[in-house]
Amino acid sequence: MYIAESATVIRRAVAAGHRPRSFLLEPKWLPDLEPLLAQVGAGEHGDLPVYLAEQDLLQEITGFHLHRGALAAMHRPPLAPVAQVVAGAQRVAILEDIVDHTNVGAAFRSAAGLGVDAVLVTPRCADPFYRRSVRVSMGTVFQVPWTRVDPWPDGIDALRDAGFVTAALALDDDSITLDELADDPPERLALVLGAEGHGLKARTIAACDRTVRIPMAGGVDSLNVAAAAAVAFWATRRR
């Protein structure tokens, strides 16, 4: 299972075909969610339980201040094979070992908004369905097809066989600029982004077809991975 937080995120989860298990709401959110509860057969509309609690009790139960007063426990759908997720995709993002859930959620939101067709996450990457990832993504983790790629980085070979050019975003002496990649973009492109701090593993960079850097100014050497993802997705978007 996973937890969807806020009415917006819950609606997007249901719209993506995910099945709720139960709801925990602040009473003032009940009228707003009534149509959705009727749709899924919850509360007085069916067998799915709807629990109501005031804000103080919600905070005591969850351990944090619930700004948007609505939680849903959702059934977690099974992950699809990589080949199925990338079939027909032209732009794919790969998140290697990114452990901050906020960065994962932000990367998914950028992927959804900037035309990335699918996201692959490595075995050690944070869970895109973790509550904070889902909330930061504004529910777009339900919109963008994704799965885990395992083994990694050996999975790069399967992407290459499928016709993808893999581009590692890294500070490397042999790298080309993002502008150069965008000026002559491959038909099928997989952008590989690395963990906070140390970035991509050397083995991953060596396995990729190209190494790409974002030109920087002001004495700054790099961007946060979520910001770098947004820049790279926009620069290489289909035109």
Side-chain angles (χ1 to χ4, degrees):
M1 60 171 286
Y2 69 88
I3 299 295
E5 178 188 349
S6 85
T8 297
V9 168
I10 293 169
R11 289 192 187 97
R12 286 186 174 174
V14 171
H18 296 197
R19 294 185 300 116
R21 298 162 59 103
S22 61
F23 297 85
L24 175 59
L25 311 175
E26 194 175 355
K28 69 179 182 180
W29 287 96
L30 188 59
D32 185 55
L33 282 169
E34 196 65 40
L36 183 139
L37 298 177
Q39 175 188 339
V40 301
E44 63 182 21
H45 306 287
D47 297 329
L48 292 180
V50 177
Y51 304 105
L52 300 179
E54 296 293 346
Q55 181 60 239
D56 289 346
L57 182 56
L58 283 176
Q59 185 163 343
E60 183 179 344
I61 292 170
T62 62
F64 60 90
H65 180 65
L66 196 62
H67 295 282
R68 295 176 180 85
L71 292 173
M74 307 291 297
H75 291 277
R76 179 185 289 261
L79 291 177
V82 170
Q84 179 180 327
V85 170
V86 303
Q90 293 181 293
R91 295 291 179 269
V92 171
I94 303 174
L95 309 183
E96 181 188 82
D97 298 358
I98 297 176
V99 297
D100 186 288
H101 295 97
T102 298
N103 285 334
V104 170
F108 266 87
R109 186 171 180 177
S110 294
L114 297 171
V116 174
D117 302 306
V119 176
L120 305 178
V121 298
T122 63
R124 294 180 58 192
C125 185
D127 182 10
F129 279 177
Y130 183 77
R131 178 187 62 84
R132 186 166 178 81
S133 298
V134 172
R135 182 168 64 82
V136 171
S137 80
M138 290 297 292
T140 56
V141 292
F142 312 131
Q143 176 181 332
V144 181
W146 72 272
T147 194
R148 289 202 181 267
V149 53
D150 191 12
W152 180 260
D154 296 341
I156 289 174
D157 292 335
L159 291 170
R160 187 175 292 114
D161 291 342
F164 283 93
V165 172
T166 52
L169 269 75
L171 302 176
D172 193 278
D173 292 338
D174 298 324
S175 61
I176 62 172
T177 67
L178 182 59
D179 297 319
E180 292 175 281
L181 178 66
D183 286 343
D184 186 22
E187 182 176 347
R188 306 189 84 184
L189 174 65
L191 292 167
V192 189
L193 297 123
E196 303 86 348
H198 298 293
L200 292 171
K201 298 174 182 175
R203 185 178 168 209
T204 300
I205 296 172
C208 287
D209 301 304
R210 301 178 189 175
T211 306
V212 179
R213 71 182 184 279
I214 298 174
M216 304 296 295
V220 178
D221 64 347
S222 64
L223 298 174
N224 164 274
V225 63
V231 171
F233 299 163
W234 184 85
T236 57
R237 70 196 185 282
R238 295 187 301 276
R239 316 239 176 138

